[in-house]
Amino acid sequence: MSSRKLPSDGFAKVAVSGTAWIVSQSILNKIVTLLSIYIISLRLSPAEFGVAILTLSIVKFSVILPPLTMSDVLIAKQDNYKSNFSNLANLIFRIGLINSILIIVTAPLIAFFYSNYTFSILVGLIMVAGLRPTGEALAVLPLTNLRQHLLFKKIALIDGLVQFGATLITIILAFINAGALALVLPQVIAVFVKSYLYKKSQFIE
C-alpha cells in the first residue's frame, strides 16, 4: 500500500496528467489487442470466436456491481464510504459472490437456449466466466480509494500491464489449442490480478 502524500499541484494538473496516462494505456492496449486478435484468428475457428463472445456478453449482462459504476457512487458518498468501509467491503463481496454462484448454477439453463453451440463447452465457459463478478467485487473499494486520491497513474499502469499480460496468455492458450477458453480465461484472471494490485497500491490515510 502507498502512504505518500496527495498531489499538491492542483486538481487541474492532476486531472490532465491522470487523463493522459489512462488514454495512453488505453490506446496502447487497443493496438496490442488488435494485433493479438489477428494472431488468434489464425488459430481459432469462427465458432470458437462466437461462443467466447457469447459467453463474455452473457456474464457482462449479468454483473450487478460494475466496479467503475460502484466506484462513482461511493466517491459521491465518500463520508459514508469511509465510515462504513468494512461493512461495505463485506456487502459488496457477498453480492459479487452470490452473483457468481447464480451465473454458475444457471449455466446449464442458459446454455440450453443456445442449441447452435456445443452444450458442455458453453456451460464450462459460462462457469469460468461466472467467477468474474467476484473478482470485480473485490476491486470496487480499492479502485475507489485510488480514484478518490487521484492516483490515476497507478490505475493506468495496473490496467495496462495486467491487460497486456492477459493478451499474452490469450495468445499462448490459442497456440496450445485451448479453443474459446483462450478468450475467456485470461479476462477472468485479469480481473482478480487487478483487484489484488489495486488493493496493494491503495493510499493509506
Side-chain angles (χ1 to χ4, degrees):
M1 291 187 182
S2 172
S3 59
R4 69 177 180 81
K5 293 182 179 180
L6 287 174
S8 57
D9 299 332
F11 286 104
K13 186 174 181 179
V14 173
V16 170
S17 174
T19 300
W21 274 97
I22 290 172
V23 170
S24 297
Q25 75 86 12
S26 178
I27 292 173
L28 287 173
N29 268 315
K30 287 183 187 302
I31 293 172
V32 172
T33 300
L34 285 173
L35 291 173
S36 69
I37 288 174
Y38 172 73
I39 295 171
I40 295 166
S41 69
L42 302 176
R43 305 293 301 181
L44 267 62
S45 68
E48 288 170 332
F49 261 105
V51 72
I53 298 303
L54 173 62
T55 299
L56 295 173
S57 298
I58 289 170
V59 173
K60 185 176 181 180
F61 176 78
S62 304
V63 171
I64 297 172
L65 297 177
L68 274 176
T69 303
M70 283 302 300
S71 179
D72 288 340
V73 172
L74 292 176
I75 289 173
K77 303 287 185 181
Q78 55 184 294
D79 290 336
N80 292 331
Y81 149 65
K82 289 180 180 179
S83 60
N84 297 293
F85 184 89
S86 59
N87 290 334
L88 275 171
N90 289 329
L91 176 63
I92 291 171
F93 174 73
R94 287 174 184 174
I95 293 174
L97 182 60
I98 291 171
N99 198 173
S100 287
I101 291 172
L102 286 174
I103 292 171
I104 291 170
V105 169
T106 59
L109 178 62
I110 295 170
F112 176 78
F113 290 99
Y114 295 93
S115 57
N116 50 326
Y117 294 107
T118 304
F119 180 80
S120 59
I121 292 177
L122 183 54
V123 170
L125 290 172
I126 293 173
M127 286 182 170
V128 170
L131 297 171
R132 183 167 183 158
T134 299
E136 292 186 333
L138 292 171
V140 172
L141 292 183
L143 178 59
T144 300
N145 176 281
L146 292 173
R147 294 180 68 208
Q148 183 181 8
H149 293 94
L150 309 178
L151 298 174
F152 301 114
K153 179 179 177 181
K154 283 190 174 183
I155 295 172
L157 287 173
I158 290 171
D159 288 355
L161 290 173
V162 171
Q163 192 55 49
F164 180 74
T167 301
L168 289 180
I169 294 174
T170 297
I171 293 172
I172 292 170
L173 289 176
F175 271 84
I176 62 173
N177 299 317
L181 188 65
L183 292 172
V184 175
L185 180 59
Q187 297 308 313
V188 176
I189 294 173
V191 168
F192 281 92
V193 174
K194 281 183 185 180
S195 297
Y196 173 77
L197 294 177
Y198 289 156
K199 185 174 182 180
K200 296 294 287 185
S201 302
Q202 286 182 105
F203 181 89
I204 302 174
E205 298 285 358

